[in-house]
């Protein structure tokens, strides 16, 4: 049995808009285009997740909404503060709480957490996640609670600049 985890970094944000609070920054025009492109790509590849959980930051929620709409995804979506400025421990806690009926999970969040999480799940190394990039990790586990350090295999990492 395998579980697939897709880490999706939010689209490029607009530093000059919003309330001035980091979590309120909206997605910039370039980020909107990239989010839609990645949503369509995931759908065309038949890799739409069973469940998507996003950070509550505006740019992360918007990225997920744009990708899902563009790709015609019908998976359930949830938002949690636990993915905003998250530690690896917080990411693991979110993953471990997912019902085992879901074989694929998408988390939408931020840097540097996503690069750190990929390295953690691979058991080391260094990875950089550009804005709106998606990475898919595979775990040979039967339960999400078994997802731990070094148990993942990177299947792909796709930056949007390859498709836009």
């Amino acid at each position: 049995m395998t579980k697939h985890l897709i880490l999706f970094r939010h689209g490029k944000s607009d530093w000059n808009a919003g309330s001035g609070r980091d979590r309120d920054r909206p997605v910039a025009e370039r980020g909107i285009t990239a989010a839609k492109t990645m949503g369509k790509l995931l759908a065309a590849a038949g890799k739409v997740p069973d469940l998507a959980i996003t950070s509550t930051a505006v740019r992360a929620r918007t990225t997920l909404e744009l990708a899902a709409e563009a790709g015609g995804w019908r998976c359930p979506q949830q938002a949690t503060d636990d993915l905003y400025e998250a530690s690896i421990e917080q990411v693991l806690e979110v993953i471990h709480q997912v019902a085992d009926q879901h074989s694929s999970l998408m988390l939408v969040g931020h840097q540097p957490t996503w690069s750190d999480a990929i390295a953690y799940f691979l058991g080391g190394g260094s990875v950089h996640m550009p804005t709106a990039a998606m990475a898919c990790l595979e775990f040979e586990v039967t339960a999400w609670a078994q997802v731990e350090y070094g148990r993942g295999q990177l299947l792909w990492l796709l930056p949007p600049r390859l498709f836009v």
Side-chain angles (χ1 to χ4, degrees), residues 24-42:
D24 294 335
R25 278 191 287 130
V27 178
E29 207 51 49
R30 187 174 109 199
I32 291 169
T33 301
K36 290 178 179 180
T37 297
M38 297 307 282
K40 291 175 192 173
L41 177 70
L42 204 62

Side-chain angles (χ1 to χ4, degrees), residues 15-76:
W15 286 88
N16 299 317
S19 69
R21 287 180 11 158
D22 180 70
R23 76 170 50 238
D24 294 335
R25 278 191 287 130
V27 178
E29 207 51 49
R30 187 174 109 199
I32 291 169
T33 301
K36 290 178 179 180
T37 297
M38 297 307 282
K40 291 175 192 173
L41 177 70
L42 204 62
K47 300 297 180 187
V48 173
D50 298 334
L51 173 66
I53 304 173
T54 181
S55 157
T56 53
V58 170
R59 60 195 180 276
R61 288 192 335 253
T62 303
T63 296
L64 175 57
E65 290 164 5
L66 291 167
E69 183 178 325
W73 307 355
R74 299 289 176 250
C75 69

Side-chain angles (χ1 to χ4, degrees), residues 91-160:
V91 173
L92 276 172
E93 200 170 298
V94 169
I95 293 168
H96 290 171
Q97 292 175 7
V98 171
D100 292 329
Q101 72 196 38
H102 300 296
S103 62
S104 63
L105 168 67
M106 172 181 279
L107 299 180
V108 185
H110 312 272
Q111 276 294 78
T113 305
W114 278 179
S115 292
D116 293 346
I118 293 169
Y120 176 86
F121 293 131
L122 295 178
S126 177
V127 176
H128 175 69
M129 287 281 289
T131 53
M134 288 184 184
C136 183
L137 294 136
E138 181 176 73
F139 297 87
E140 292 293 331
V141 297
T142 56
W144 287 106
Q146 297 169 318
V147 170
E148 294 293 344
Y149 176 82
R151 295 205 61 181
Q153 176 182 357
L154 182 64
L155 297 182
W156 44 262
L157 191 157
L158 301 172

